[in-house]
Amino acid sequence: MSDLKIPSHVGIIMDGNGRWAEKRGKKRSYGHRVGSENVERVVEHAFKVGVKSLTLYAFSSENWARPKEEVDELMRLLKNYFKKFISKVLKNGVRLKVVGGRAELSDDLIKVIDECEDMSKDNTEHYLNIALNYGGRQEVVAVVNKLIGEGKAVTVDSISENLYTAASGEPDLIIRTGGEYRLSNFLLYQGAYSELYFTDVLWPDFDEIELDKAIDSFGKRKRRFGKVL
Ligand code: IPE
Ligand code: IPE
Ligand code: MG
């Protein structure tokens, strides 16, 4: 990787697990399993090269419409991921936050999420946001309703300050694996000026080298934020 600027906050749409499995004549669930195993190496590498915050899209508010068997498997894998996270929390300095609606999640999943968030709440080295049952539109609606409920003014800044990922700042870079060129309801408000990086690589194959490529690409971008530079 060249010596270019490193994005502080990176969002990743981890797409392509199903197609990765189907290409191998396997069930989609197999792709989700291998995809979930891939999360750790990418997270570790991102933090190693100096990314401060990561927001990973694990399950969208629209993904409930998939077959029950697939949804159940995804929930099981997520629970396992959080359990593994707990066993490492003290040495990794990472603060974990799950962003998205809680009401639809099972009690045992909520329990392990609460444990992760509570045990890691004093960590400040890195922020790891897992978007689970997340939708960007739903997030904005929830924030606006919260502000109204508290009798506060709804402004560009008051919404920003109350977004689920506020502690991480706005994403500098959003990566989507799996060859689709869309956001699929991910970080719509905070992504207004994010640099976008799309790759055909399917999520289970997205490794350290692929992440370096995305970060290199970011380093070459000119961010203007509407100004003339
Ligand atoms: C991403 O992979 C994981 C989730 C959306 C939960 P997909 O399951 O969407 O894989 P493809 O896009 O069908 O290949
Ligand atoms: C986006 O992928 C959601 C996640 C990666 C978790 P999808 O596979 O659900 O997106 P669409 O349906 O192709 O837009
Ligand atoms: Mg997909």
Side-chain angles (χ1 to χ4, degrees), residues 13-15 57-60 63 66 176 180 182 184:
I13 303 171
M14 308 183 291
D15 195 25
Y57 206 6
F59 190 91
S60 75
N63 287 147
R66 294 187 177 199
R176 181 171 189 143
E180 310 289 0
R182 54 179 174 256
S184 302

Side-chain angles (χ1 to χ4, degrees):
M1 199 174 70
S2 57
D3 197 19
L4 290 164
K5 54 180 186 306
I6 302 290
S8 170
H9 180 189
V10 177
I12 307 183
I13 303 171
M14 308 183 291
D15 195 25
N17 293 345
R19 279 164 288 159
W20 185 90
E22 280 157 9
K23 263 175 48 181
R24 286 160 178 77
K26 303 258 171 87
K27 291 205 326 192
R28 295 176 54 84
S29 301
Y30 177 65
H32 292 313
R33 183 148 59 79
V34 180
S36 76
E37 286 162 10
N38 192 40
V39 172
E40 197 162 325
R41 72 170 163 172
V42 174
V43 169
E44 270 181 21
H45 188 65
F47 289 159
K48 198 178 92 191
V49 300
V51 171
K52 175 88 180 169
S53 299
L54 271 177
T55 301
L56 304 180
Y57 206 6
F59 190 91
S60 75
S61 34
E62 289 74 33
N63 287 147
W64 295 108
R66 294 187 177 199
K68 184 177 182 300
E69 188 196 346
E70 182 170 343
V71 171
D72 287 349
E73 176 64 3
L74 283 163
M75 293 301 145
R76 193 186 67 80
L77 290 166
L78 279 157
K79 198 159 60 183
N80 281 352
Y81 179 81
F82 295 130
K83 279 189 186 152
K84 271 206 334 222
F85 180 89
I86 289 174
S87 64
K88 296 191 183 145
V89 75
L90 292 175
K91 61 171 188 197
N92 67 9
V94 177
R95 178 165 189 179
L96 187 132
K97 187 171 179 195
V98 174
V99 301
R102 291 285 160 99
E104 293 81 2
L105 306 182
S106 70
D107 290 344
D108 51 340
L109 184 55
I110 293 173
K111 189 166 164 271
V112 65
I113 289 170
D114 285 344
E115 256 179 277
C116 281
E117 292 187 337
D118 191 51
M119 286 179 73
S120 68
K121 68 178 187 310
D122 297 323
N123 290 346
T124 53
E125 218 168 300
H126 295 287
Y127 296 101
L128 177 60
N129 307 309
I130 305 289
L132 195 189
N133 187 25
Y134 174 85
R137 290 171 172 172
Q138 291 84 337
E139 177 183 26
V140 173
V141 170
V143 169
V144 169
N145 279 325
K146 176 174 175 262
L147 290 168
I148 293 170
E150 290 168 356
K152 295 190 178 138
V154 176
T155 66
V156 167
D157 286 341
S158 71
I159 294 176
S160 286
E161 285 157 15
N162 284 279
L163 292 170
Y164 300 148
T165 57
S168 301
E170 293 180 358
D172 300 291
L173 171 66
I174 294 178
I175 297 169
R176 181 171 189 143
T177 66
E180 310 289 0
Y181 301 98
R182 54 179 174 256
L183 289 173
S184 302
N185 209 5
F186 185 54
L187 304 182
L188 298 182
Y189 193 95
Q190 51 277 69
Y193 272 100
S194 301
E195 294 298 325
L196 306 179
Y197 178 88
F198 297 99
T199 171
D200 287 340
V201 174
L202 303 172
W203 173 251
D205 292 327
F206 188 87
D207 59 9
E208 294 91 336
I209 293 168
E210 295 300 330
L211 181 64
D212 285 350
K213 283 191 210 164
I215 292 175
D216 267 1
S217 167
F218 172 82
K220 293 178 188 132
R221 310 276 181 99
K222 276 209 166 37
R223 305 184 78 188
R224 282 186 286 275
F225 299 98
K227 296 175 218 156
V228 178
L229 290 183

